[in-house]
Amino acid sequence: MHQSTKRLLREMAIICLMAATIGIAWNHRLLLNAWTGNVPANPPVPASIPPSQAGQRQPAVPLPLGLMQVKEFHDRKEAVIVDARDGATFTAGHITGAVSLPLGEADARLAEFAKRYPPTTLLVVYCNGYDCHDSHNLAAKLIAAGYTTVFVFEGGFPEWEAAGYPVTGGKP
Amino acid sequence: MTSNAGRHLSTVIRVVLGLVFLYAGVLKIADPVAFAGNVAAYRLLPYFGNYLVATTLPWVETICGLMLIIGWRTRSAAALISLLNGVFMLALASTIIRGLDIDCGCFQQGAAKTSAWSAMGRDTVLLALSLTLLRRDRQTGDRTAG
């Protein structure tokens, strides 16, 4: 191989190595949490801490979750899938087994939701896809309310439906 | 074109390309979780792979951007940026083929969606610029290389 090409490749490799070292060191907590499946910077909240106080202790950083992971959680019934869209949209069509908690009604209905699902419940929140931010906002509210493991399915209902996975309502 | 004009053109391309990649990298470094979500949307990598890419790729962009701006080891930075652009374009092509309607996640995370075709057009321009830089540096020699 030509000497200058060798040098070029060596320098490219060094840049990549430097970038990887800095990036991994900079985000080591996030990577560790992603590796172990925990929500970053959201340690489990002791049951004795009221949700309102728990919210002050935790930054609202829900992790995004891909379609395949959501499908696995759904099939194994390991997570409660939460629909952040309004009630009418939910009725028109939603992920089978999902629970409706519209963002606009979240403050009023959170107490009722908390009675049904304890803070350790694994929650996956979705709305109408990547352009829709209701799922992120609702996930932040749920984390603030004391939920320790909250994911956001950013592809939302459109991606789920497009993949041909089970939906309820909507179709005649 | 005179060699003087050519040198000026090279400098302009180098700085513009550097600024674009520095900007792209810094925005992603600021929000790695959102970028991981955008990488996950391509459905090409396993779960942890999305995070690994989201935490390291922006630093490659940032370092290459800085190197181009200051004019140090520009051939290596331009080559790496050409390679990255090639990979981005392959990933974007795969979303078009698979019919995935996703945001490219190229710059600001969570901003208005950029379609795969628009991103592909932009990446083609960036690839042309980086290849031009690489070619010019090969012809003239990397004067700044130590």
Side-chain angles (χ1 to χ4, degrees), chain A residues 75-138:
Chain A
D75 292 351
R76 291 197 228 129
K77 299 194 191 317
E78 285 179 359
V80 171
I81 316 275
V82 183
D83 191 316
R85 304 171 303 162
D86 62 76
T89 314
F90 177 82
T91 310
H94 59 265
I95 294 177
T96 300
V99 177
S100 175
L101 183 61
L103 177 68
E105 300 167 26
D107 289 333
R109 289 176 53 183
L110 213 51
E112 173 204 337
F113 184 86
K115 277 183 198 164
R116 288 180 63 190
Y117 305 104
T120 50
T121 311
L122 198 160
L123 301 176
V124 178
V125 188
Y126 75 92
C127 58
N128 257 340
Y130 293 95
D131 291 337
C132 168
H133 300 291
D134 286 4
S135 52
H136 273 283
N137 296 338
L138 181 63

Side-chain angles (χ1 to χ4, degrees), chain A residues 29 33 38-43 57-59 61:
Chain A
R29 271 179 207 277
N33 284 323
N38 292 325
V39 177
N42 281 325
R57 287 161 53 96
Q58 299 176 96
V61 189

Side-chain angles (χ1 to χ4, degrees), chain A residues 15-68:
Chain A
I15 296 171
C16 289
L17 205 64
M18 267 175 58
T21 308
I22 300 171
I24 290 169
W26 189 274
N27 296 287
H28 67 282
R29 271 179 207 277
L30 174 66
L31 286 169
L32 200 63
N33 284 323
W35 182 258
T36 54
N38 292 325
V39 177
N42 281 325
V45 180
S48 58
I49 297 175
S52 58
Q53 284 180 26
Q56 289 160 16
R57 287 161 53 96
Q58 299 176 96
V61 189
L63 268 179
L65 205 61
L67 177 71
M68 297 316 293

Side-chain angles (χ1 to χ4, degrees), chain B residues 6-135:
Chain B
R7 217 170 27 243
H8 285 314
L9 183 67
S10 270
T11 307
V12 170
I13 293 175
R14 176 169 63 73
V15 173
V16 167
L17 205 59
L19 285 172
V20 168
F21 274 84
L22 179 67
Y23 176 68
V26 168
L27 285 177
K28 288 170 195 149
I29 286 169
D31 198 350
V33 175
F35 183 45
N38 277 326
V39 177
Y42 283 83
R43 296 193 222 158
L44 291 169
L45 298 169
Y47 181 70
F48 183 71
N50 297 319
Y51 283 91
L52 201 57
V53 167
T55 52
T56 54
L57 180 67
W59 287 96
V60 178
E61 293 179 325
T62 304
I63 291 172
C64 287
L66 281 172
M67 287 169 74
L68 288 180
I69 291 168
I70 63 175
W72 186 65
R73 309 276 185 190
T74 49
R75 271 200 80 201
S76 311
L80 205 48
I81 278 179
S82 304
L83 187 69
L84 282 183
N85 265 313
V87 173
F88 294 160
M89 288 171 77
L90 282 176
L92 287 166
S94 82
T95 66
I96 294 168
I97 292 165
R98 290 176 294 157
L100 295 179
D101 182 23
I102 62 168
D103 178 28
C104 81
C106 310
F107 292 96
Q108 179 80 52
Q109 307 303 303
K113 193 166 92 176
T114 307
S115 74
W117 281 112
S118 321
M120 196 79 129
R122 191 169 52 201
D123 282 352
T124 307
V125 174
L126 293 174
L127 181 62
L129 289 178
S130 57
L131 287 176
T132 306
L133 203 58
L134 199 58
R135 198 166 148 261

